[in-house]
Amino acid sequence: IKVEFRMIEAGRLTPPSRGRMTMSPDGRFTFGNFYLGEYRATLSGLPRSLYIKEARLGSIDALSQNLMLTTSPLPSLDFVLAKGGDLVGTVTDSASRPVANQEVVLVPAFSNRPELYKTGTTDGNGRFAIQGIAPGDYRAYAWKTMERFQYFDSEFVREFSDKGTSIQITASSEMTAALTLIQN
């Protein structure tokens, strides 16, 4: 698992070129030589079945807000991981034929946490599986065409809200969905 701090400059995330550390087997990591400023903390390389349930920097919720690192030494940053739910299903076209190699996107109903957006790709039979989903309400989409990461654009997603499939994920559950390819 890799822990990453991405600095925010002029309201935008900078490339993840500094502030990355690999977690040791006992779950600890140490950072050094930080530039003081505003950051977003993320984890990558999680096992597929897990999600980040909580992250705190001292008393600050590190998942829902940016971190202002203005003093040194920094308080402890703690992550809590949990087993998420799974979504399995199929994507078919308007003639009910399976759609192979199609990206499926799971968009959280209410969240400013980018790591809650999940994707999967269908196999040759139009089947997909997405694991490690945090409990909550989502809409699942299978757009025929879309610019890379366009699903983060709330205006784009809003255009197709009636074409998404509502999904409610609970901890450690396995939900199913039959999606129809969205011709956009």
Side-chain angles (χ1 to χ4, degrees), residues 143-160:
W143 288 284
K144 183 174 182 177
T145 58
M146 173 182 54
E147 291 179 27
R148 189 168 182 202
F149 303 121
Q150 194 171 12
Y151 51 83
F152 285 117
D153 179 350
S154 60
E155 293 298 318
F156 172 78
V157 173
R158 195 177 348 250
E159 282 182 52
F160 301 97

Side-chain angles (χ1 to χ4, degrees), residues 126-149:
R127 292 188 299 251
F128 67 90
I130 302 173
Q131 298 177 307
I133 306 165
D137 295 322
Y138 295 83
R139 291 193 75 76
Y141 298 91
W143 288 284
K144 183 174 182 177
T145 58
M146 173 182 54
E147 291 179 27
R148 189 168 182 202
F149 303 121

Side-chain angles (χ1 to χ4, degrees), residues 7-151:
M7 187 172 232
I8 299 172
E9 294 176 349
R12 295 184 178 259
L13 286 173
T14 60
S17 59
R18 59 183 181 259
R20 179 181 287 183
M21 175 66 66
T22 302
M23 195 175 288
S24 66
D26 69 355
R28 296 181 186 273
F29 58 92
T30 305
F31 282 94
N33 301 327
F34 255 106
Y35 297 107
L36 299 181
E38 186 176 12
Y39 288 84
R40 190 73 162 167
T42 61
L43 290 180
S44 62
L46 287 175
R48 293 181 59 127
S49 64
L50 300 180
Y51 74 97
I52 305 169
K53 182 175 182 177
E54 182 179 331
R56 301 203 77 69
L57 179 69
S59 64
I60 298 169
D61 179 354
L63 293 178
S64 65
Q65 60 191 31
N66 295 334
L67 305 176
M68 296 300 295
L69 305 182
T70 57
T71 62
S72 189
L74 298 173
S76 174
L77 175 62
D78 299 305
F79 289 95
V80 176
L81 305 179
K83 183 174 180 350
D86 298 337
L87 176 65
V88 296
T90 58
V91 176
T92 56
D93 62 16
S94 59
S96 298
R97 293 181 301 242
V99 179
N101 200 33
Q102 175 63 50
E103 183 176 43
V104 174
V105 180
L106 199 55
V107 177
F110 305 102
S111 181
N112 63 348
R113 292 177 50 192
E115 80 279 0
L116 293 183
Y117 289 71
K118 295 285 191 172
T119 63
T121 304
T122 59
D123 64 14
N125 296 312
R127 292 188 299 251
F128 67 90
I130 302 173
Q131 298 177 307
I133 306 165
D137 295 322
Y138 295 83
R139 291 193 75 76
Y141 298 91
W143 288 284
K144 183 174 182 177
T145 58
M146 173 182 54
E147 291 179 27
R148 189 168 182 202
F149 303 121
Q150 194 171 12
Y151 51 83

